[in-house]
Amino acid sequence: MSGSPGGLPDVIWHDSVGSTNDEAQARVAGEDAHPVWIAAAEQTSGKGRLGRLWVSRPGNLYASLVWPSDVEAGRLASLSLVAGLAVRDAVIQAGVAEPVQLKWPNDVLVGGKKVSGILIETMARQGFHVAIIGCGINLVHHPGDTRWPATDLSASGIAIEPRAMLEHLRGAMHARFRQWAEGAGLSSIHDDWMAAALGRGGRISVEGGKQGVFTGLSDDGALELTLDDGSLWTHHAGDVEWLEQRGSS
């Protein structure tokens, strides 16, 4: 194993599944930790961040990558940046002409509306870790009652089948993993992510009530705020309220 997959992992396709992340976890628990994509056109028990339900009607793409790695566990936290960039790349490759931005920690926006969410879970194994990178991409429909406005690719005039979207995602994820794993890859990942970031240079409020200016990312992908007193605050997890939405890409 290494920090960069040697080739595109195979795909196990399901027309319908409870959760692609749960299927991936079951494979790893059964001692099969080989790189593989678990993908489906429907989830009946989709999972979102912080335990929220992810609405998963047929027609969109739901896919999870099983990725074993012998890099240190702390470095795996930056995979949310890698995955976000890969999904953004795939959406652009599908033909979207509107601005495609990244909203911390793991959402992809088209025209300011959420088109994709990412859920990363890790499992420890003897001598290595396995990252499970779950990606949901709205292709033909989207929920209407979300905390952040949502959209789908068909609303941008893009008609694409889930399997075709998966091929874009597989290639984009492979390329971003190579960038992340090689040389000064994390620095370039940070630069690319920030170039597409929603709200950079604007004021935000994080869970707990702190407010400041979004100025960057830490090495592990946490949000960095410059507070009003000039001090730096690093926000690792929890909800964020975007008081200003600057930084169109």
Side-chain angles (χ1 to χ4, degrees), residues 59-172:
N60 292 342
L61 174 64
Y62 314 101
S64 297
L65 173 62
V66 176
W67 189 71
S69 174
D70 53 9
V71 303
E72 60 273 17
R75 193 176 174 206
L76 293 178
S78 63
L79 287 182
S80 63
L81 309 180
V82 177
L85 283 167
V87 173
R88 178 177 184 267
D89 293 343
V91 167
I92 292 172
Q93 290 168 20
V96 171
E98 299 167 80
V100 184
Q101 294 173 280
L102 297 168
K103 181 171 77 69
W104 190 91
N106 51 14
D107 290 344
V108 181
L109 310 179
V110 170
K113 298 180 179 180
K114 180 175 176 177
V115 77
S116 175
I118 298 163
L119 176 64
I120 299 179
E121 301 175 294
T122 59
M123 300 177 69
R125 285 294 174 263
Q126 188 172 358
F128 65 99
H129 289 80
V130 181
I132 297 171
I133 304 171
C135 308
I137 304 178
N138 298 335
L139 303 183
V140 295
H141 49 73
H142 61 272
D145 56 353
T146 52
R147 293 164 58 91
W148 190 275
T151 189
D152 58 70
L153 293 191
S154 69
S156 297
I158 305 299
I160 187 168
E161 294 294 324
R163 290 177 187 262
M165 191 70 223
L166 179 59
E167 289 309 300
H168 288 310
L169 181 59
R170 288 175 74 211

